[in-house]
Amino acid sequence: ALLWRSDVEGAVLRVKREKLEPGPSEGRTLCMELPGLFAVLTYVPNSGDGLCRLEERLGQWDPKLRRYLKGLAKRKPVL
């Protein structure tokens, strides 16, 4: 959940949903841009029973998230 007070002017600049994973309904990433930082919340896709999807997770999803966070960090701190 991501909650903020909409009555505080300038507190939240924008909230954006990011799609980092290939599946239509897997993973959820929200980015809230505040004046001094980005707050990123994410649900990491499960690696599955017996870790059958671990390679996909480590080889695809994790690097995409890392690139996304590094890109944000070039602009302001990321939480």
Side-chain angles (χ1 to χ4, degrees), residues 4 12-16 31-34 38 72 75:
W4 69 91
V12 175
L13 301 178
R14 79 181 159 153
V15 176
K16 186 176 178 187
C31 178
M32 178 187 288
E33 184 176 358
L34 303 165
F38 290 103
L72 291 176
R75 297 168 46 201

Side-chain angles (χ1 to χ4, degrees), residues 5-78:
R5 289 183 49 169
S6 61
D7 63 333
V8 179
E9 190 172 327
V12 175
L13 301 178
R14 79 181 159 153
V15 176
K16 186 176 178 187
R17 182 177 178 197
E18 296 295 332
K19 184 76 172 131
L20 301 175
E21 60 288 323
S25 63
E26 265 194 321
R28 290 167 282 292
T29 302
L30 294 173
C31 178
M32 178 187 288
E33 184 176 358
L34 303 165
L37 61 90
F38 290 103
V40 177
L41 295 94
T42 190
Y43 164 79
V44 178
N46 194 319
S47 296
D49 290 337
L51 302 177
C52 62
R53 296 179 60 204
L54 184 61
E55 187 175 321
E56 175 186 341
R57 156 82 192 282
L58 295 176
Q60 296 176 23
W61 196 88
D62 286 2
K64 285 182 184 177
L65 178 62
R66 191 173 299 111
R67 280 192 302 274
Y68 175 67
L69 295 175
K70 283 183 176 183
L72 291 176
K74 289 178 182 177
R75 297 168 46 201
K76 55 178 110 172
V78 177

